[in-house]
Amino acid sequence: MKVFDHPAESRHAPQFFLMRGRLRPNFEVPARAAALREGLRALRLSAEAPEPASREAMRSVHGAAYLDFLEDAARDWVALPEAGPEVVPNIHPTPEMLAQSSRSNGHVIARAGAHTADNACPIGPGTFEAAAAAAGCALAAADHVAASGGAAYALCRPPGHHAYATRAGGHCYVNNAALAAQRLRDKGAARVAVLDIDSHHGNGTQGIFWDRGDVLTVSVHGDPGRYYPWYVGFAEERGGGDGAGANLNLPLAFGSDDATWLAALEDGMAAVRTFRPDALVLSLGFDASKDEPLNALAVTEDGFARAGEAVASLRLPTAICQEGGYNTDILGQLLARFLGGFGA
């Protein structure tokens, strides 16, 4: 299996996030990438460092003003009086505000509110560089898959599946899986499926492809009635416009074990088979683990190995993009078990 990783991903080092009214250390730290590299070494897989994604490449799924914000926000933020070390909004525009004004405020605080969905995506001086590096890994994986018909793993950090076309959220800034899916389309795949097995719903990916019928989006995740992203990820969300029927959410009850999770994965894979895509993008998260610090599900190492076997059974050209998973003590083991099951 071809592997892509870039050292600049460690330039993003967020300090905290707000949860249930408390400031907590941020779980999306550079040590995650180091742990995943240990898993790759256990499989004797070496990585190639591709070029970071260009602005033009990221524009395939993201808006220009949003990318401007990601690139410039840290610089503009430190110019504020008494600014903290990271860009974190103190207001988000409400629907009432947007309905009553057509003005676009260029102040960095206003842009932070408009271009972030929550307080879990602080922006520091290395964030854009790291996000572009992660996106470059996803694009390189898609290019390899398109050229070879095989499989590739992109060690994407920060992750991406919560990022919308113009809004960051949930530790995510650039939607790596969406970029990979669009790149596969651009390289000749008539239909692409995105299968997301992170324990959180892939809301950004769903949003980007919501009204498109050429990309199927499937997400297996913990019940959003009790879990991030709270407002979307429910079974009745099936896509809109030309994308009606091309979105499938498979939310699971808290504490769901291997058998339940793997059964839902099989349901998702059945939808992929029915869609008959030319290529697959897998959003691979390990936060479904029973040992996850903020877990909703209870998947074991064996469960992840069996999931790898199951996804491989689709026999599709597959670009695997790393998403969540925050227990750095076990991340490497989980990656090794999944990729081992996949046949890496």
Side-chain angles (χ1 to χ4, degrees):
M1 176 179 286
K2 192 76 169 177
V3 174
F4 297 95
D5 180 23
H6 198 292
E9 292 174 333
S10 296
R11 291 272 293 121
H12 174 59
Q15 298 180 21
F16 72 90
F17 75 109
L18 187 66
M19 179 181 173
R20 298 172 189 163
R22 293 183 181 273
L23 284 178
R24 298 171 181 256
N26 201 298
F27 286 107
E28 209 296 282
V29 292
R32 293 185 62 244
L36 292 164
R37 290 174 189 131
E38 287 296 323
L40 295 173
R41 280 191 281 273
L43 294 173
R44 294 182 171 84
L45 291 172
S46 57
E48 177 180 323
E51 287 295 315
S54 67
R55 284 286 299 265
E56 180 182 7
M58 289 187 281
R59 279 290 309 278
S60 67
V61 299
H62 290 292
Y66 173 61
L67 295 174
D68 287 342
F69 164 73
L70 289 182
E71 189 168 15
D72 299 339
R75 179 202 65 200
D76 294 347
W77 190 261
V78 297
L80 295 174
E82 300 183 74
E86 299 174 302
V87 180
V88 180
N90 59 7
I91 185 171
H92 295 285
T94 67
E96 295 87 350
M97 290 176 177
L98 296 175
Q100 295 167 11
S101 176
S102 60
R103 292 194 180 193
S104 178
N105 192 328
H107 194 285
V108 65
I109 295 177
R111 286 185 287 132
H115 288 304
T116 61
D118 52 48
N119 292 317
C121 47
I123 297 171
T127 299
F128 182 74
E129 182 183 355
C137 292
L139 290 169
D143 287 341
H144 175 78
V145 167
S148 69
Y153 170 74
L155 199 168
C156 298
R157 198 229 147 229
H161 70 151
H162 295 310
Y164 286 94
T166 61
R167 196 183 296 264
H171 307 317
C172 301
Y173 304 87
V174 174
N175 196 310
N176 306 305
L179 281 175
Q182 185 59 51
R183 177 60 66 88
L184 287 165
R185 284 285 290 110
D186 294 341
K187 291 284 186 175
R191 294 156 76 85
V192 176
V194 181
L195 176 59
D196 191 325
I197 61 172
D198 188 279
S199 73
H200 300 90
H201 174 241
N203 57 310
T205 312
Q206 172 177 296
I208 287 170
F209 295 116
W210 179 255
D211 58 0
R212 287 177 53 173
D214 58 331
V215 178
L216 172 71
T217 47
V218 178
S219 182
V220 180
H221 51 269
D223 175 13
R226 296 179 58 189
Y227 199 48
Y228 188 94
W230 303 101
Y231 299 100
V232 290
F234 299 97
E236 63 268 22
E237 298 156 20
R238 296 307 309 274
D242 291 341
N247 186 79
L248 176 63
N249 289 327
L250 297 163
L252 299 176
F254 267 44
S256 291
D257 59 8
D258 285 357
T260 304
W261 186 69
L262 290 166
L265 174 59
E266 183 53 48
D267 290 341
M269 289 168 46
V272 171
R273 292 187 186 98
T274 299
F275 187 70
R276 300 182 67 183
D278 300 301
L280 176 71
V281 175
L282 180 72
S283 277
L284 174 61
F286 293 118
D287 42 7
S289 166
K290 65 180 180 62
D291 299 310
E292 180 68 16
L294 300 174
N295 65 332
L297 307 178
V299 179
T300 67
E301 288 189 23
D302 287 344
F304 283 110
R306 291 169 62 191
E309 294 173 7
V311 175
S313 75
L314 289 170
R315 300 188 182 281
L316 286 168
T318 303
I320 302 171
C321 295
Q322 186 64 51
E323 300 290 356
Y326 303 98
N327 185 339
T328 56
D329 292 334
I330 61 168
L331 267 184
Q333 299 164 231
L334 297 180
L335 179 61
R337 290 299 303 276
F338 180 89
L339 292 182
F342 189 88

